[in-house]
Amino acid sequence: MDSNPKLGELLVLKKIITQEQLNSAIIRQKKTNLRIGEELIRSGIVSEENIISTLAELMDIPFIRIRATTVDQEVINKVPARFVTHYNFFPLRDEGDSLRIAVSDPLDLYSLDEIKLMLKQPIKISLATSLEINEAIKRYYGVGAKTMAQMVDDTPQMQILSKINDDSQTQLESASEDPSVIKFLDQVIQQAVRERATDIHIEPFEYNLRVRYRIDGLLYDVPVPAAIHHFQSSIIVRMKIMAELDIAEKRLPQDGRIQIKIDNEDFDFRVSILPTAFGESIEIRILSRKQIFLTLSELGLDSKGMDILNTMIKIPHGIILVTGPTGSGKTTTLYSCLNKINAMERKIITIEDPIEYKLHGIIQIQVHPKINLSFANGLRSLLRHDPDIMMVGEIRDLETAELSIRTALTGHLVFSTLHTNDAPGAIARLLDMGIEPYLVASALNCVIAQRLVRVICPACKQSYKGHEDLLEEFGIHRNKLQGKDLYKGVGCENCKFTGYLGRTAIFEILKIDDMVKEMILNHSHSNIIKQKAIAQGMKTLRLSGWEKVVSGITTPEEVMRVTQQDTE
């Protein structure tokens, strides 16, 4: 950043700053010994981009936005991570015998000479902001590139080889905590939180260690330095230490929990370690305490669904089931229902595996299979504590199903979950377990099936005319759109160019009325029950999703991705 007054004069000429601001900055500059551009940025008068672009104009050097540039992987492979992080530059492309690089300080001639010497070829420079250079290093060299580069520098090559070939050396190194490993894992976790990830997957393979984030329901690869797999054992030991697991046990799965505060927000991290052919795999579920406590209206229910659910949770006995695959938001819905009816005059007890969030005023029990505290055994004990409302984390077997139903029939309201594709499928699942039809008909109040769909990014949302084939998939005729446009996200930096930002739920609520009870007693197939319920006004998951499509919340493709074709 040039200390030459010409930079300041050009900024004034371009009306980026006033003459008074420049004069004041020059006075402050004498005390701080900063360059004029640095002083203007420090004072908050101008942005770094304004200074860099003006400096590029002044020095006749190209100004580049790296975010809008695609860089060939061959160029990245030519320049080690430790060079780009140490000298804070980024390689852009080969230009014959020379290499084009992006820097933020063209006047640091010493560093430029060092880069030229290290690369052993001439260089040409373009100017970019330090923010974009750091983002590009993270994107192309991976999360923790700087830390990992330091680890490679600090670790002799012989140690890396001995780690691969000598099991005793591996155990010795795994027993220690490398500060660089700690920093690397901290960066992976913090980056996951900033990108709204719900899960982190650290997966070992023969020649590499893969890191992936699950964001809005889909897995995305996280670029990490190639050298990371040399430190696999240290990373696993660090995670075990954080989750208070046995670092010596490598043959059996282990589960643990970590509580972390990031940016003044509390997070629970559920850690699962799984032995694999090439080492231990780590899965980390990220749970934000702030996001779980949603009201029923915030879940995404429409007015009709809200009315049904509000009525069902006020009934003092019976079972309310929430169904859907893993990660469909069932726990959030159950907790929201419990929060709605949590009151001083009611005793609520839950038995869960695991306890995802601690709820104030509600007694929660953790399942422990090793000591024979199963859902069924816990449920028996719960009844001796005079509860009004109970939540059973999941109905997995006949014993738990029978106890839940008999509990509901003896004057308790029971909430639980099942893994079925739709709401009527829960009835078939209970009958397949061996529950008598008359017990299912008597105890069941309603079944809620749900899915999570991604929400269109508001920053890049655009309207378009729906294609006929898409409308036919939903069984919708174009004249029913009444001239409304459909929407999609075209992709931008806010949504990582996916077109989606965040998720909402779609619901299918089957109310167990007299007609459905009679069909259960007659052993009617779940498809027949679904057809009758649709005829009586039940909204299927796909129809619930279509309403959010028409409202401009999500896209047809997203709804079709998470739902099955409705029964005709």
Side-chain angles (χ1 to χ4, degrees), residues 56-126:
E57 182 180 338
L58 190 64
M59 299 182 69
D60 195 24
I61 298 173
F63 174 72
I64 186 170
R65 286 184 169 83
I66 306 177
R67 292 171 182 166
T69 304
T70 301
V71 181
D72 196 316
Q73 189 61 42
E74 289 184 6
V75 175
I76 301 298
N77 295 339
K78 286 179 62 175
V79 187
R82 59 183 181 275
F83 288 168
V84 296
T85 54
H86 180 74
Y87 293 105
N88 197 38
F89 75 97
F90 186 76
L92 295 171
R93 61 182 176 272
D94 275 316
E95 294 185 356
D97 294 333
S98 61
L99 180 70
R100 172 74 62 176
I101 66 172
V103 298
S104 60
D105 188 355
L107 299 176
D108 186 357
L109 301 180
Y110 175 80
S111 292
L112 293 177
D113 287 341
E114 287 281 305
I115 294 170
K116 189 189 305 180
L117 183 65
M118 291 290 185
L119 295 178
K120 298 178 181 178
Q121 72 177 118
I123 59 172
K124 295 180 180 177
I125 66 170
S126 294

Side-chain angles (χ1 to χ4, degrees), residues 275-287:
T276 72
F278 299 108
E280 292 172 286
S281 177
I282 304 172
E283 201 281 336
I284 306 168
R285 171 65 58 87
I286 304 172
L287 302 167

Side-chain angles (χ1 to χ4, degrees), residues 499-561:
Y500 299 96
L501 189 65
R503 290 189 291 176
T504 189
I506 56 176
F507 296 91
E508 176 178 293
I509 303 179
L510 175 64
K511 187 177 177 182
I512 310 301
D513 54 19
D514 291 339
M515 179 196 73
V516 177
K517 288 181 180 180
E518 184 178 346
M519 297 179 74
I520 294 172
L521 293 172
N522 292 332
H523 296 82
S524 296
H525 193 277
S526 60
N527 282 345
I528 304 300
I529 295 176
K530 186 170 185 175
Q531 289 174 9
K532 293 288 187 182
I534 291 172
Q536 294 293 320
M538 182 187 79
K539 287 181 182 176
T540 63
L541 283 167
R542 184 158 283 195
L543 183 56
S544 174
W546 174 253
E547 290 181 349
K548 284 184 165 51
V549 169
V550 174
S551 300
I553 296 172
T554 189
T555 63
E557 294 83 359
E558 180 66 8
V559 173
M560 287 190 289
R561 182 180 69 84

Side-chain angles (χ1 to χ4, degrees), residues 346-384:
R346 296 190 184 100
K347 182 165 185 175
I348 304 176
I349 307 179
T350 74
I351 179 163
E352 308 172 55
D353 183 24
I355 297 172
E356 298 209 353
Y357 293 94
K358 294 177 176 65
L359 305 173
H360 179 70
I362 294 175
I363 297 172
Q364 295 173 272
I365 300 170
Q366 169 71 55
V367 166
H368 287 291
K370 290 182 180 179
I371 59 173
N372 204 29
L373 178 55
S374 62
F375 282 118
N377 291 338
L379 196 50
R380 290 190 185 94
S381 300
L382 261 58
L383 290 169
R384 302 187 192 108

Side-chain angles (χ1 to χ4, degrees), residues 150-324:
Q150 186 65 41
M151 290 165 70
V152 173
D153 283 345
D154 292 346
T155 308
Q157 190 68 21
M158 283 299 296
Q159 285 186 330
I160 293 175
L161 293 174
S162 65
K163 282 187 70 174
I164 296 172
N165 297 318
D166 189 345
D167 187 58
S168 61
Q169 179 70 18
T170 300
Q171 292 178 5
L172 179 63
E173 291 176 3
S174 295
S176 64
E177 287 192 72
D178 189 325
S180 296
V181 170
I182 295 173
K183 289 180 182 178
F184 173 77
L185 272 175
D186 287 349
Q187 289 177 36
V188 169
I189 290 171
Q190 290 177 33
Q191 185 72 14
V193 169
R194 292 191 185 102
E195 295 193 9
R196 304 176 299 103
T198 56
D199 299 83
I200 304 170
H201 296 261
I202 303 177
E203 303 160 320
F205 295 94
E206 187 171 7
Y207 300 111
N208 69 300
L209 191 70
R210 182 170 68 182
V211 179
R212 294 190 290 175
Y213 294 157
R214 188 177 294 278
I215 303 172
D216 293 337
L218 298 181
L219 283 170
Y220 294 92
D221 191 57
V222 180
V224 292
I228 188 176
H229 73 281
H230 295 307
F231 304 91
Q232 175 182 330
S233 296
S234 298
I235 290 168
I236 292 168
V237 168
R238 174 60 184 168
M239 283 308 309
K240 287 181 176 179
I241 290 171
M242 292 172 69
E244 298 181 352
L245 300 176
D246 184 357
I247 63 172
E249 180 56 71
K250 300 180 180 180
R251 300 168 299 170
L252 296 174
Q254 296 189 71
D255 295 303
R257 195 178 196 126
I258 311 168
Q259 292 184 339
I260 299 178
K261 185 185 286 290
I262 299 174
D263 298 331
N264 293 320
E265 184 176 348
D266 291 329
F267 291 88
D268 286 330
F269 291 79
R270 277 176 20 204
V271 180
S272 179
I273 309 289
L274 188 69
T276 72
F278 299 108
E280 292 172 286
S281 177
I282 304 172
E283 201 281 336
I284 306 168
R285 171 65 58 87
I286 304 172
L287 302 167
S288 169
R289 296 186 179 185
K290 185 175 71 175
Q291 294 176 354
I292 191 70
F293 301 110
L294 303 176
T295 64
L296 294 181
S297 59
E298 290 173 329
L299 292 175
L301 282 163
D302 59 17
S303 58
K304 183 179 178 181
M306 275 282 287
D307 291 341
I308 295 173
L309 191 53
N310 276 323
T311 301
M312 292 294 109
I313 64 177
K314 290 176 183 175
I315 298 174
H317 54 80
I319 294 182
I320 296 175
L321 289 177
V322 182
T323 75

Side-chain angles (χ1 to χ4, degrees), residues 1-62:
M1 296 177 188
D2 194 3
S3 59
N4 191 319
K6 288 183 179 178
L7 174 62
E9 292 170 7
L10 186 56
L11 289 168
V12 173
L13 185 64
K14 297 178 69 171
K15 298 183 179 179
I16 295 174
I17 62 172
T18 64
Q19 187 64 50
E20 290 76 14
Q21 288 174 324
L22 175 60
N23 294 338
S24 299
I26 291 172
I27 294 172
R28 291 193 303 272
Q29 180 194 10
K30 294 176 181 178
K31 298 178 181 179
T32 61
N33 291 322
L34 296 174
R35 298 173 185 171
I36 190 65
E38 292 172 332
E39 175 57 38
L40 289 167
I41 293 171
R42 187 192 70 83
S43 303
I45 297 172
V46 294
S47 67
E48 184 191 13
E49 183 172 331
N50 281 331
I51 292 293
I52 297 295
S53 61
T54 304
L55 191 58
E57 182 180 338
L58 190 64
M59 299 182 69
D60 195 24
I61 298 173

